[in-house]
Amino acid sequence: MSWFNYYGLIAVAIIMIPNIICAVVDKSTFENKCSNKAIITLEQIGRYGCMSFMVFNIPYTYFNFWFTHALIVYLTINGVLLVLYILGWIVFRKGRNTVKMLWLSIIPTTLFLFSGVMLLSVPLIISAVIFGIGHITVSYLNRN
């Protein structure tokens, strides 16, 4: 894989589609009840880091797939995680219950972390951990 990861771009786009649709249809969906600035900042740093490092592989910070047929495993697991994420948006389209909020934060965190491990991308792994801590915390605090 070169410096540009087309598969990562597709995954980020798929994650963003339901978020954009939801933001246009119901602006109150993304109302943030979390007042902890440190956690919100961690979430945002992790979010933009993950989206960037899913698409751009920085030389000398990633080591590409590390076993035979890793691309197949990468595409299969990421595909399953993306389907689960989209299904979560469909099944939990109403309300802000704990299950919905955790589902829609744990799945993308897992996808980013898995992708980082599969590509041995140090910045993506670090960003995914930061994103996970921030996003899961904020999502939990934003439940009903």
Side-chain angles (χ1 to χ4, degrees), residues 1 5-12 53-55 57 64-82 111-121 124:
M1 190 169 296
N5 182 350
Y6 295 99
Y7 303 120
L9 177 63
I10 292 167
V12 169
F53 296 126
M54 279 288 289
V55 178
N57 296 315
N64 217 336
F65 298 117
W66 46 279
F67 62 90
T68 309
H69 306 296
L71 177 61
I72 295 168
V73 173
Y74 173 82
L75 293 175
T76 303
I77 299 299
N78 279 350
V80 168
L81 290 169
L82 288 168
L111 182 134
F112 293 138
L113 187 57
F114 174 76
S115 295
V117 170
M118 287 299 295
L119 290 170
L120 288 179
S121 172
L124 183 53

Side-chain angles (χ1 to χ4, degrees), residues 30-69:
F30 293 104
E31 178 187 337
N32 194 349
K33 298 176 186 175
C34 179
S35 60
N36 186 326
K37 298 290 185 195
I39 293 294
I40 293 169
T41 302
L42 275 179
E43 179 191 27
Q44 294 306 317
I45 290 169
R47 176 189 320 274
Y48 293 113
C50 286
M51 289 192 294
S52 299
F53 296 126
M54 279 288 289
V55 178
F56 300 107
N57 296 315
I58 310 302
Y60 308 110
T61 65
Y62 87 104
F63 303 97
N64 217 336
F65 298 117
W66 46 279
F67 62 90
T68 309
H69 306 296

Side-chain angles (χ1 to χ4, degrees), residues 18-30:
N19 287 283
I20 292 168
I21 292 170
C22 198
V24 169
V25 172
D26 183 14
K27 294 181 187 342
S28 69
T29 300
F30 293 104

Side-chain angles (χ1 to χ4, degrees), residues 67-140:
F67 62 90
T68 309
H69 306 296
L71 177 61
I72 295 168
V73 173
Y74 173 82
L75 293 175
T76 303
I77 299 299
N78 279 350
V80 168
L81 290 169
L82 288 168
V83 167
L84 289 172
Y85 185 72
I86 298 298
L87 285 174
W89 273 104
I90 293 168
V91 170
F92 303 119
R93 64 186 166 273
K94 301 289 184 192
R96 293 172 73 126
N97 63 52
T98 304
V99 174
K100 173 186 180 177
M101 301 307 281
L102 290 177
W103 184 280
L104 296 177
S105 60
I106 292 171
I107 297 291
T109 300
T110 304
L111 182 134
F112 293 138
L113 187 57
F114 174 76
S115 295
V117 170
M118 287 299 295
L119 290 170
L120 288 179
S121 172
V122 175
L124 183 53
I125 293 170
I126 293 168
S127 294
V129 170
I130 292 169
F131 174 70
I133 292 167
H135 192 52
I136 293 167
T137 302
V138 168
S139 295
Y140 182 76

